[in-house]
Amino acid sequence: MKKQQLSAISYVNASLSFIFGVSVFVFFGYFYTYHLAYQEQYQMFLFTSDYMAETTHRVGGLSEYLSRFLTQFYYTPLHGALIIATLLTLMQRQLLSAALHLAGREKNGWASLTFVPSIFYWILLCDENYMLTGVISVIMALSAFLWSRSVRQARVRAACSLIMIPLLYALAGGAVVVFGILFIIAEAVKGGLSIRQRCLTAAGNALLLALSPLSAQYFFPQYPLAKLLTGADYYRYQSVFPFSLLLLWLIIPAIVAGFRLLPAVKKGWRLWLPAGMQGVLLVFLAVLGVSGAADWKKEEVMRYDYYVRQGNWEHIISMADREAPASPLSVAFLNLALCRQGLMPDRMFHYFQNGAEGLLPSFVRDFSIPLMAGEVYYHLGFINTAQRLAFEAMEAIPDFQRSARSIKRLAETSLINGDYEVSRKYLRILLHTLYYSEWAAETLSCLHDEERIEANPEWAGLRKYRTKTDFLFSEKEKDMMLGLLLGQDPSNRPAYEYLMAYCLLTKDMERFSLYYPLGRDIHYRTIPKSYQEALIYIWGLTNNTTAGVPYAVSDEVKRQVEDYRRIYVSYPAAEQMLKSRFSGTYWYYLHYRK
Amino acid sequence: MKRYFIYLPLLLCSLAACREAVVPTGTTDGPPVIFPDYAGVTVPATIAPLNFRVESADYAAIHAVIEGSRSGRIEARGGRRAAVSIPPGEWKRLLADNTGSDLSVTVSLRQPGGWISYRPFAIHVSGYPADYGLVYRLIPPAYEVYGKMGIYQRDLSDFTQTALLENTLIPGNCVNCHSFRQGRPEQMSLHIRGPYNATVLTSDGGVDLYDTKTEQTIANCVYPYWHPSGGYIAYSVNETRQVFHEQRDKRIEVVDARSDVVVYDIGKNELLSCPQITSQDAFETFPAFSPDGRTLYFCSAAARVIPEEYDQVRYDLCSIAFDPESGTFGQEVDTLVRAAATGKSVSFPRPSYDGRYLMYTLSDYGNFSIWHKEADLWLLDLHAGLTRELTEVNSSDVESYHSWSSNSRWFVFSSRRTDGLYSRPFLASVDEAGNVSKPFMLPQKDPGMYDSSLYSFNIPEFVTGRVELDARIVGRKARSGERIQMKYSSRAVSGRGL
């Protein structure tokens, strides 16, 4: 093939890499953004020598450390998207270099195949439990391979490989197999060794690959062999063996070997047609794979969670106005936003409601739900529960990392509770982070300074609302807990509205009637809409007419309930008829929602 | 090559010149506030260097001169806001040369105006030897969920900490309740809780895993205490649950809905008990054998409805005779400390191995004193029958678990005094006359470790030597499901009428 044509193909390949990188960036930066924000909060990268020593002192420790270092930048999701795009593109380019090195530049026309591992890992990264460690360790293995090929003397190169395998295993973990297999292939097809030497080198490499995890047991006796096979935490759950990565590690040498076997494409349509077809096929696979792997329901919850963290209540409501949330956690966040904006009793039934779980989520032995659910308890003044959920979430992180978000919440709740020394401990730790250090330094200066704490509206408000007398948290008696909170401060509007919402969502009309008068100190100008609807419904249970209802129910609500009742009792298929006019009412929820 | 030999002394000289001479330009009246607080403490002659930092002032550098009252002098330095780093070899010699006498520590800080010296403080080097080290569990002060944790041993003479068993080896499980026969490392008991549920017993290199739940007992065996003969282990069996407070000063309440005491006969693989320690009307827990093995101490409270009456449960300190030859119990239960009558509650009775004292924790109610800020250590003189609060070691925060050294001249206890949440191990000595020294926190190479660590030091226990536990064997047996089933003895009579 002519030099000019080769450079044209190289240019096209580089452009394809660039387009691929941009696609990954756009996907994570603009469509799958909140998965990145979610990832960042379940780790806490510290710029300390102790953290570095602790993280790297394990099999695959360096790849783990680099992964955590880069993941901290997910705090700004666009930065995270750029990092992922760069790494996946780098992996593709390295693989292309490795393949061309062994097969020759005239195989350039098959370059599209080198996108397969990167697309594969892109698909894996749609699962929030796949860590960046996997792609970093493969890049380390490919880098080591490409470096080894730069060693000209075959015997020196063979000797290097015997050193590289245990070293790479220690630094990158199980991804060393990529290096090992590639090296064996490379020496088999393009080495200066005799057949006997090749066999010996291959046997040595294979033996070292097998012996590395076995010998690691002696250095790391506190890990089972199954864990030492992979070493680094490629997947968040320790008990799950990442078979997908094993597949990835095998695909890479298979592609390199495949390049060698594939025919060299010449020029003209015989070059561009197969290349184009490959490209189309890959785009199709990428779209199919990524769209199949992406979990948009989780993305929705993560999006709501992100804005709750920001305290951007208006944005949450506007999101719900565009598309009503469905999952209990998203609904709980929406209700929290409505409450914070003073809109809950009037508007909560305008949106889909998911029962009591969509108001005050229950504790689950999990790392994500408690952290998210804790936001609701925190803003209501259940400071100890918010603290507990933050702690539980951090302890439940499957790969034993610490959570910067949890530590921040623990520092806040300790400060609100007046436990300044333990708050100081958490804040001092956060000083060693990139994104939380400024907040930590500012908060540290507030410790023991009651005036400054009282000047902070959030902390002062929560100190006002939190319980002054002790009671035990009860998952089954959340209404009682809200009642106790309200009993201590009858002007605690969020506690009252949550108590009322709890009764409405659990359809407990008896308790609604009982608790309703507790709101007299809230001083509503008019009775909130959902309360009017409940009151008139309760009245209607023992009366045939709305006349004489002993509450200030508006004429509009009275008219509506009459219309609703007429349709409800007259038509067997009333639900559909009522939906258009009354889906935003409490009556509709009462009759047709769980 | 010769040139390098010429340059080498010059380089060494220039490095030495970097060590600025400390010439104080001023002094302060009082001693410095240091962390950890080692001023006026008594330490064993084999303790690791007491590296410390100054808390009461900011500084660019720190310098300490440690002088023995008999002989020896050490200089130690540290950087900005850092701890002094005491040279281990020199420290070891200084302690050896001054055993039974005092060290004087003079601290100077480099501040903008020059070096400021503080009034010296003393450290007493005790003549009583301490044991080889400590074994403790490192666990975050968590609620229901646990992440990474492990049981570790620490050599008291240096800073070496090694893992005995971490739950990374048995993912999803908890490891707890390590216990040794009077501090001997050869015989150890610990529990694995979770999917690989087991009690691990080691004896002279052998490791066996047991299933301790029987039809006749209400739960798995917990809170072990070895009989001095090594032939028995006392356990309690507890139906435990946790509840969570909403008030700011409290967090967690660990409560027993039912509990009994049993004794495991290792040789016969039998659990022994009697109605007096398995009563339905009482919660019995935290057993401990006397050093002669003929008395079993335990805590007992009148049964209450749990969790409703969790704050009404108050434990007395009781004892019952035990005959190690026959494995039988006495008829009478003696009440040694009637805490319940005074509105208090006893937990963790631990007799000293010389038979003179019994140390226990006293709190307002319940038995899980680590979550009780008011919990303090008390000492019962078993000869005189007198009990007193250990004001020398107590603080305004939690003091809870404690353990004696093999010679009964030292004890280690956990306290949350540094920040109110994370338990740290403190050591103190008791002399023949019962005088208790000011406690000191377990020294670390960098005391900043206590700031950054998110782990509590749980159940600190003295050990007389290095524990040799092959974690891989424990892990393999745990995963294999290989268990020895404990049997409830036909000789045992339960008060529950089982």
Side-chain angles (χ1 to χ4, degrees):
Chain A
M1 222 186 298
K2 284 180 184 173
K3 207 171 180 181
Q4 207 174 11
Q5 193 175 8
L6 280 172
S7 90
I9 298 170
S10 298
Y11 178 76
V12 171
N13 285 341
S15 303
L16 285 175
S17 299
F18 180 74
I19 291 166
F20 171 76
V22 170
S23 306
V24 174
F25 173 75
V26 169
F27 175 77
F28 283 106
Y30 295 97
F31 295 97
Y32 220 51
T33 316
Y34 302 100
H35 265 73
L36 301 190
Y38 171 90
Q39 287 270 21
E40 182 274 334
Q41 60 190 285
Y42 293 108
Q43 69 157 41
M44 182 171 63
F45 185 88
L46 298 177
F47 288 89
T48 66
S49 54
D50 284 348
Y51 180 78
M52 186 181 187
E54 185 193 326
T55 312
T56 53
H57 183 66
R58 56 189 300 190
V59 173
L62 183 62
S63 62
E64 187 85 46
Y65 186 76
L66 292 173
S67 165
R68 293 181 187 186
F69 172 77
L70 293 174
T71 303
Q72 72 180 319
F73 295 102
Y74 288 15
Y75 186 87
T76 308
L78 279 180
H79 294 168
L82 188 63
I83 286 167
I84 294 174
T86 306
L87 290 176
L88 292 182
T89 309
L90 179 61
M91 185 163 83
Q92 181 268 326
R93 295 298 299 176
Q94 281 185 315
L95 181 55
L96 179 63
S97 298
L100 294 181
H101 171 76
L102 293 188
R105 285 168 64 82
E106 62 275 14
K107 302 286 180 75
N108 231 334
W110 298 102
S112 301
L113 291 177
T114 60
F115 285 94
V116 170
S118 295
I119 291 171
F120 186 78
Y121 209 83
W122 179 4
I123 293 167
L124 292 185
L125 283 177
C126 291
D127 176 347
E128 68 281 2
N129 294 314
Y130 274 96
M131 318 300 277
L132 213 49
T133 319
V135 66
I136 289 172
S137 60
V138 169
I139 288 171
M140 287 170 73
L142 286 169
S143 302
F145 172 72
L146 291 171
W147 175 81
S148 75
R149 300 310 299 170
S150 69
V151 178
R152 292 189 180 276
Q153 283 185 299
R155 286 186 183 179
V156 176
R157 197 166 59 234
C160 280
S161 77
L162 300 179
I163 298 166
M164 287 297 284
I165 285 178
L167 183 66
L168 201 57
Y169 172 70
L171 300 178
V176 67
V177 296
V178 174
F179 171 84
I181 299 174
L182 279 177
F183 194 89
I184 292 168
I185 294 171
E187 289 305 320
V189 301
K190 199 181 180 182
L193 298 172
S194 66
I195 292 176
R196 187 169 165 273
Q197 286 170 331
R198 285 179 205 176
C199 290
L200 280 174
T201 306
N205 283 0
L207 190 67
L208 279 172
L209 284 175
L211 282 180
S212 293
L214 291 172
S215 55
Q217 287 182 100
Y218 292 92
F219 298 104
F220 301 98
Q222 302 295 341
Y223 290 91
L225 181 60
K227 176 65 191 165
L228 292 172
L229 290 176
T230 56
D233 291 331
Y234 301 122
Y235 194 69
R236 200 188 302 274
Y237 288 90
Q238 305 284 300
S239 53
V240 176
F241 188 86
F243 285 103
S244 306
L245 275 171
L246 192 61
L247 184 63
L248 177 77
W249 297 341
L250 296 177
I251 287 173
I252 290 171
I255 288 171
V256 173
F259 256 66
R260 181 87 184 175
L261 300 174
L262 288 166
V265 282
K266 302 290 181 188
K267 58 182 180 177
W269 67 270
R270 277 184 293 178
L271 168 65
W272 296 113
L273 188 66
M277 283 171 67
Q278 286 169 55
V280 171
L281 188 66
L282 282 172
V283 170
F284 177 71
L285 284 176
V287 171
L288 197 71
V290 171
S291 60
D295 192 329
W296 299 108
K297 283 182 182 170
K298 282 185 181 171
E299 178 71 5
E300 180 202 87
V301 177
M302 291 168 187
R303 187 168 74 231
Y304 275 93
D305 180 48
Y306 179 81
Y307 288 107
V308 167
R309 284 178 76 186
Q310 311 284 324
N312 195 340
W313 313 115
E314 283 177 20
H315 190 83
I316 291 170
I317 295 167
S318 69
M319 272 165 27
D321 285 337
R322 284 196 296 276
E323 186 180 352
S327 77
L329 270 173
S330 309
V331 174
F333 290 147
L334 170 62
N335 284 331
L336 177 63
L338 289 170
C339 180
R340 295 284 299 184
Q341 295 296 87
L343 300 170
M344 187 155 81
D346 281 318
R347 288 185 53 188
M348 67 181 288
F349 292 102
H350 287 203
Y351 306 95
F352 173 78
Q353 288 295 332
N354 213 323
E357 279 301 301
L359 189 72
L360 288 165
S362 297
F363 171 67
V364 179
R365 280 174 170 264
D366 171 50
F367 63 99
S368 54
I369 293 175
L371 194 57
M372 295 182 185
E375 294 288 348
V376 180
Y377 291 98
Y378 175 76
H379 287 285
L380 280 174
F382 289 109
I383 301 302
N384 279 21
T385 299
Q387 192 169 60
R388 175 167 66 92
L389 296 182
F391 213 115
E392 298 283 38
M394 188 163 69
E395 283 305 299
I397 297 174
D399 58 358
F400 302 136
Q401 292 204 58
R402 298 296 176 203
S403 154
R405 178 180 175 182
S406 288
I407 292 284
K408 182 172 182 246
R409 178 49 49 84
L410 291 173
E412 283 171 320
T413 51
S414 300
L415 178 144
I416 291 164
N417 272 344
D419 298 330
Y420 296 132
E421 290 314 308
V422 75
S423 182
R424 184 190 310 280
K425 177 188 184 75
Y426 296 131
L427 292 168
R428 278 181 172 173
I429 292 171
L430 288 176
L431 284 178
H432 298 291
T433 62
L434 186 61
Y435 288 103
Y436 300 85
S437 57
E438 198 178 322
W439 176 87
E442 174 67 20
T443 309
L444 260 175
S445 68
C446 294
L447 296 181
H448 293 287
D449 188 338
E450 300 300 327
E451 269 186 33
R452 287 185 66 190
I453 292 171
E454 285 304 313
N456 181 307
E458 183 172 303
W459 297 338
L462 291 171
R463 277 190 163 185
K464 182 172 177 281
Y465 287 152
R466 70 177 173 175
T467 180
K468 312 296 183 296
T469 56
D470 192 26
F471 58 88
L472 299 178
F473 179 86
S474 174
E475 205 73 79
K476 292 175 184 165
E477 297 170 307
K478 288 172 182 162
D479 57 333
M480 300 297 283
M481 297 193 327
L482 289 163
L484 287 165
L485 218 54
L486 183 63
Q488 291 172 33
D489 180 2
S491 67
N492 184 342
R493 180 174 170 149
Y496 177 72
E497 292 182 351
Y498 263 75
L499 177 63
M500 293 292 97
Y502 187 86
C503 295
L504 293 174
L505 290 171
T506 54
K507 304 178 183 178
D508 190 339
M509 294 293 100
E510 198 178 320
R511 290 198 174 178
F512 179 85
S513 304
L514 189 69
Y515 298 147
Y516 172 71
L518 298 176
R520 57 187 162 285
D521 291 320
I522 309 293
H523 303 300
Y524 291 106
R525 278 191 297 176
T526 56
I527 300 174
K529 184 172 169 282
S530 62
Y531 301 173
Q532 288 190 39
E533 290 167 352
L535 290 168
I536 200 115
Y537 171 82
I538 295 164
W539 171 259
L541 291 174
T542 51
N543 297 275
N544 290 327
T545 171
T546 56
V549 61
Y551 305 104
V553 176
S554 70
D555 292 340
E556 172 67 15
V557 172
K558 285 178 184 171
R559 270 196 303 277
Q560 278 193 323
V561 78
E562 292 292 354
D563 291 350
Y564 184 95
R565 184 191 292 167
R566 185 173 47 76
I567 298 168
Y568 182 73
V569 298
S570 308
Y571 300 96
E575 182 178 354
Q576 280 308 311
M577 295 176 73
L578 290 167
K579 192 174 182 181
S580 58
R581 270 187 69 194
F582 297 101
S583 62
T585 66
Y586 178 60
W587 313 308
Y588 190 83
Y589 171 83
L590 187 68
H591 289 133
Y592 301 114
R593 292 284 175 245
K594 68 169 185 178
Chain B
M1 193 68 185
K2 278 180 185 171
R3 277 191 307 177
Y4 293 116
F5 285 109
I6 296 166
Y7 289 140
L8 189 64
L10 287 173
L11 180 69
L12 292 173
C13 288
S14 58
L15 282 173
C18 291
R19 292 218 127 197
E20 178 193 348
V22 178
V23 183
T25 54
T27 56
T28 59
D29 291 338
V33 177
I34 61 170
F35 178 84
D37 181 7
Y38 293 135
V41 300
T42 298
V43 299
T46 51
I47 196 72
L50 302 182
N51 295 339
F52 64 86
R53 65 168 189 251
V54 169
E55 292 279 88
S56 50
D58 199 3
Y59 52 88
I62 182 170
H63 176 262
V65 177
I66 310 169
E67 291 173 293
S69 58
R70 286 191 193 138
S71 66
R73 183 179 189 276
I74 302 178
E75 282 192 50
R77 290 171 187 258
R80 186 168 178 264
R81 293 181 193 160
V84 289
S85 181
I86 301 170
E90 291 178 53
W91 170 257
K92 204 171 181 177
R93 279 193 295 279
L94 188 70
L95 292 185
D97 293 345
N98 292 279
T99 301
S101 64
D102 286 350
L103 305 178
S104 170
V105 185
T106 308
V107 177
S108 302
L109 301 180
R110 196 174 76 196
Q111 291 178 322
W115 285 94
I116 304 292
S117 271
Y118 285 84
R119 204 174 70 195
F121 62 85
I123 294 172
H124 180 69
V125 185
S126 172
Y128 301 123
D131 288 335
Y132 160 82
L134 297 177
V135 173
Y136 42 74
R137 179 169 65 150
L138 290 180
I139 179 174
Y143 298 76
E144 290 180 277
V145 183
Y146 43 80
K148 187 181 175 184
M149 67 168 78
I151 296 174
Y152 302 83
Q153 64 181 334
R154 161 71 195 267
D155 187 341
L156 279 179
S157 66
D158 58 29
F159 301 111
T160 312
Q161 175 184 282
T162 47
L164 292 178
L165 185 63
E166 289 179 333
N167 66 344
T168 46
L169 190 64
I170 37 175
N173 288 263
C174 159
V175 289
N176 59 43
C177 281
H178 52 279
S179 170
F180 301 89
R181 175 161 78 96
Q182 296 194 328
R184 291 174 204 181
E186 310 83 32
Q187 283 183 296
M188 179 186 187
S189 166
L190 65 88
H191 302 309
I192 297 170
R193 294 288 175 251
Y196 300 141
N197 190 47
T199 288
V200 181
L201 290 188
T202 69
S203 187
D204 300 322
V207 178
D208 290 310
L209 272 65
Y210 289 79
D211 181 351
T212 61
K213 175 74 179 77
T214 69
E215 280 184 17
Q216 292 83 1
T217 47
I218 55 180
N220 282 308
C221 293
V222 292
Y223 305 138
Y225 195 99
W226 286 79
H227 190 270
S229 70
Y232 298 96
I233 304 175
Y235 290 105
S236 63
V237 284
N238 307 49
E239 188 184 308
T240 305
R241 58 180 294 192
Q242 292 188 81
V243 286
F244 308 107
H245 293 279
E246 278 302 329
Q247 198 187 19
R248 52 165 288 215
D249 289 330
K250 297 180 174 183
R251 284 187 185 225
I252 302 176
E253 210 62 64
V254 181
V255 290
D256 289 337
R258 292 188 296 167
S259 66
D260 293 330
V261 167
V262 294
V263 172
Y264 178 59
D265 183 333
I266 299 173
K268 293 178 180 166
N269 186 29
E270 284 184 342
L271 285 169
L272 311 170
S273 199
C274 69
Q276 295 91 318
I277 52 175
T278 54
S279 167
Q280 270 189 317
D281 301 325
F283 299 156
E284 300 92 355
T285 192
F286 296 137
F289 284 111
S290 61
D292 64 4
R294 298 200 161 270
T295 304
L296 182 67
Y297 301 103
F298 62 99
C299 297
S300 178
R304 295 278 183 173
V305 180
I306 298 299
E308 290 82 358
E309 298 177 339
Y310 73 91
D311 56 355
Q312 304 298 311
V313 181
R314 292 193 171 82
Y315 290 83
D316 288 328
L317 174 62
C318 301
S319 70
I320 188 168
F322 179 72
D323 179 4
E325 282 76 36
S326 62
T328 55
F329 299 88
Q331 294 299 310
E332 298 295 321
V333 170
D334 291 329
T335 304
L336 283 76
V337 177
R338 290 187 184 279
T342 57
K344 292 284 181 181
S345 188
V346 173
S347 52
F348 302 120
R350 287 286 182 274
S352 61
Y353 300 124
D354 61 5
R356 176 73 194 272
Y357 299 108
L358 185 147
M359 195 178 291
Y360 58 94
T361 307
L362 200 68
S363 57
D364 284 349
Y365 60 86
N367 68 45
F368 219 79
S369 42
I370 195 67
W371 291 107
H372 284 242
K373 281 192 181 291
E374 78 285 356
D376 281 328
L377 296 182
W378 283 61
L379 193 67
L380 171 64
D381 185 332
L382 290 166
H383 291 181
L386 297 172
T387 189
R388 73 174 181 95
E389 184 186 349
L390 281 173
T391 52
E392 303 93 325
V393 302
N394 287 332
S395 71
S396 58
D397 219 300
V398 183
E399 278 74 40
S400 185
Y401 192 86
H402 44 273
S403 151
W404 291 93
S405 68
S406 59
N407 62 2
S408 303
R409 293 278 77 89
W410 296 92
F411 62 93
V412 58
F413 63 97
S414 60
S415 175
R416 290 186 165 174
R417 67 188 63 185
T418 52
D419 55 37
L421 181 61
Y422 290 84
S423 308
R424 304 295 181 221
F426 286 78
L427 293 91
S429 75
V430 191
D431 65 17
E432 288 89 345
N435 297 312
V436 176
S437 66
K438 178 181 171 180
F440 67 95
M441 190 149 64
L442 178 68
Q444 301 291 346
K445 189 172 186 181
D446 176 8
M449 173 266 182
Y450 286 120
D451 303 323
S452 58
S453 170
L454 290 169
Y455 288 92
S456 272
F457 288 72
N458 180 236
I459 319 278
E461 288 275 356
F462 275 108
V463 280
T464 56
R466 190 178 160 78
V467 181
E468 301 295 344
L469 178 71
D470 191 332
R472 285 172 301 160
I473 292 175
V474 177
R476 197 171 59 238
K477 287 193 172 185
R479 288 190 294 272
S480 74
E482 182 185 321
R483 305 286 183 274
I484 299 169
Q485 176 63 55
M486 282 189 185
K487 294 183 178 67
Y488 198 75
S489 169
S490 54
R491 292 178 292 148
V493 185
S494 168
R496 295 188 178 276
L498 292 165

